[in-house]
């Protein structure tokens, strides 16, 4: 049986094994998928051992995505832009292909599940760390009129502009520069909500019908950011569970050559 796994630390609460098992049953693929606790120090050895013992593919999560990027022998274009790899696939039994399905997973959720169109819209991404870098390329490819990238440390947002300006319109700003502006879609890519904090945002940031999207997700209840969205009158304020499903579906497709359906799965994972 073909073997797959998610590597990360901590990994005990990962939903990925349940998601991939569901995909495998739905598409009638014979495969196993497990969660393995791997930290940065043992990453190299763990990857080698996993592929030696019949492994065909690995998902990598915090704190291993940059190491997976370095480990890959070949990279997809979106992985190259994002500087991180969340999916490794064994090619011809020897080489490792690295992809990043986070951004396309977000786009699938926004466009296919939530029915949003990005084209011509004003988008605000909060945060300029690893999570932001994984989604900016695919967002720009969907042709927003402008993607504003706001970060506490402005220089990091400016560095991101240098990476992505060839793909589309991107404007690095500080949080203070957001006063008086309005957006159709606000995406929280800061790690603030993991510690229950909110970036310092002005009021009236949301245009009529705006959507708020938190890349982080909560197994129960709302995140601080999705609560903020509701308070600010967003038409829709959701967390990143749909993106988690989307990135998993695209990884599964890369490995097995069949795209699973994610409809209804959110409700199964969070009844
Ligand atoms: P990740 O991989 O989750 O993106 P990261 O690369 O460490 O983690 O980036 C964290 C991001 O969240 C950064 O953009 C950080 O802002 P700085 O670059 O100024 O550090 C942002 N962040 C974290 N806590 C924050 C807070 N309380 N308010 C605003 N931004 C915050």
């Amino acid at each position: 049986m073909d073997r797959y796994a998610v590597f990360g630390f901590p990994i005990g609460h990962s939903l990925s094994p349940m998601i991939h098992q569901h995909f495998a049953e739905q598409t009638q693929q014979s495969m196993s998928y497990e969660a393995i606790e791997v930290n940065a120090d043992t990453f190299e050895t763990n990857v080698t051992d996993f592929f030696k013992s019949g492994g065909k593919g690995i998902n990598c999560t915090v704190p291993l995505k940059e190491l997976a990027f370095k480990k890959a022998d070949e990279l997809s274009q979106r992985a190259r832009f994002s500087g991180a790899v969340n999916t490794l696939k064994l090619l011809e039994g020897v080489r490792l292909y690295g992809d990043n399905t986070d951004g396309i997973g977000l786009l699938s959720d926004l466009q296919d599940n939530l029915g949003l169109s990005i084209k011509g819209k004003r988008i605000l991404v909060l945060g300029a760390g690893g999570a932001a870098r994984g989604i900016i390329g695919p967002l720009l490819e969907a042709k927003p009129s402008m993607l504003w990238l706001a970060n506490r440390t402005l220089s990091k947002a400016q560095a991101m502009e240098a990476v992505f300006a060839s793909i589309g319109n991107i404007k690095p700003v500080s949080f203070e520069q957001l006063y008086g502006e309005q957006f159709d879609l606000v995406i929280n890519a800061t790690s603030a909500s993991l510690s229950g904090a909110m970036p310092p945002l002005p009021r009236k940031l949301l245009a009529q019908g705006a959507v708020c999207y938190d890349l982080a997700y909560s197994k129960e209840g709302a995140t601080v950011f999705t609560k903020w969205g509701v308070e600010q009158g967003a038409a829709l304020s959701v967390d990143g569970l749909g993106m988690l499903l989307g990135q998993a579906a695209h990884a599964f497709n890369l490995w097995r050559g069949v795209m699973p359906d994610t409809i209804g799965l959110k409700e199964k994972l969070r009844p």
Side-chain angles (χ1 to χ4, degrees), residues 127-131 151-153 156 175 189-192 197 199:
N151 200 45
R152 188 169 58 180
T153 315
K156 280 208 220 163
F175 291 122
T190 69
S191 53

Side-chain angles (χ1 to χ4, degrees), residues 4-8 11 14 16-17 33-37 58-61:
Y4 298 87
V6 58
F7 283 13
I11 204 67
S14 172
S16 294
Y33 188 106
E34 64 210 286
I36 303 180
E37 192 170 282
I58 302 172
N59 280 141
C60 292
T61 183

Side-chain angles (χ1 to χ4, degrees), residues 97-121:
Y97 180 75
D99 195 2
N100 189 332
T101 64
D102 286 335
I104 192 73
L106 170 67
L107 264 290
S108 293
D109 195 34
L110 288 172
Q111 296 178 326
D112 305 340
N113 298 338
L114 304 176
L116 294 182
S117 165
I118 306 290
K119 194 160 186 237
K121 299 285 168 59

Side-chain angles (χ1 to χ4, degrees), residues 3-7 32 34 36 45-58:
R3 206 177 154 211
Y4 298 87
V6 58
F7 283 13
S32 70
E34 64 210 286
I36 303 180
T45 329
N46 282 287
V47 171
T48 309
D49 290 351
F50 186 76
F51 285 114
K52 263 194 197 152
S53 65
K56 293 283 191 266
I58 302 172

